[in-house]
Amino acid sequence: DFLPLKCDACEQIFCTDHVAYAQHDCTSAYKKDVQVPVCPLCNTPVPVRRGEMPDVVVGEHIDRDCKSDPAQRKRKIFTNKCLKPGCKQKEMMKVICDQCHKNYCLKHRHPLDHDCSGTGRPLSKAG
């Protein structure tokens, strides 16, 4: 079969034996040969931009957007974010300052550690 066939990536003309990207070492095959990875937990396709590593993008999807049960349970445990500027630590339970009544991580829970602005009384009378 010697019918001329046009490669849809590089637009050169080949016979049926050489029209495949691998057969003629197509330099434009990357434009057409796009694969979308699928999340192993929720089986949804995860879009990947050019130049990004699919493993990294799927990992970020599992950490943030995945709708599967193990990922959601993992995400919901640590929801109490530290209010100290620059700190991104999250705790399982709220750690409320007795003076300013704001939530902090274990490292910044003491008034001296988070530049406490509260001059109020403690929450409990026992302290």
Side-chain angles (χ1 to χ4, degrees):
D1 190 78
F2 294 104
L3 293 175
L5 298 171
K6 191 178 205 181
C7 174
D8 61 346
C10 66
E11 299 185 0
Q12 292 184 9
I13 296 175
F14 297 98
C15 66
T16 55
D17 294 337
H18 296 101
V19 76
Y21 302 137
Q23 295 298 328
H24 69 268
D25 296 325
C26 186
T27 57
S28 301
Y30 69 92
K31 294 177 185 176
K32 298 290 182 175
D33 191 19
V34 177
Q35 296 178 1
V36 178
V38 176
C39 175
L41 299 176
C42 64
N43 291 325
T44 57
V46 181
V48 179
R49 293 187 196 105
R50 276 196 209 293
E52 287 183 324
M53 296 293 297
D55 294 339
V56 174
V57 176
V58 171
E60 288 174 359
H61 162 78
I62 290 172
D63 291 341
R64 294 184 190 151
D65 305 325
C66 189
K67 303 294 185 217
S68 72
D69 287 339
Q72 283 185 340
R73 276 184 270 153
K74 178 182 158 194
R75 211 175 11 254
K76 288 183 181 178
I77 291 176
F78 300 100
T79 57
N80 300 301
K81 188 177 183 307
C82 179
L83 295 175
K84 166 101 174 156
C87 182
K88 295 181 181 178
Q89 182 67 33
K90 294 180 182 179
E91 297 294 335
M92 192 179 336
M93 297 176 64
K94 286 186 177 183
V95 182
I96 306 292
C97 173
D98 290 339
Q99 294 179 7
C100 65
H101 309 295
K102 293 182 180 177
N103 186 45
Y104 294 98
C105 66
L106 293 175
K107 184 177 177 183
H108 298 116
R109 69 183 182 267
H110 297 293
L112 294 174
D113 293 330
H114 64 262
D115 300 325
C116 189
S117 60
T119 56
R121 289 182 243 129
L123 278 175
S124 68
K125 294 179 183 178

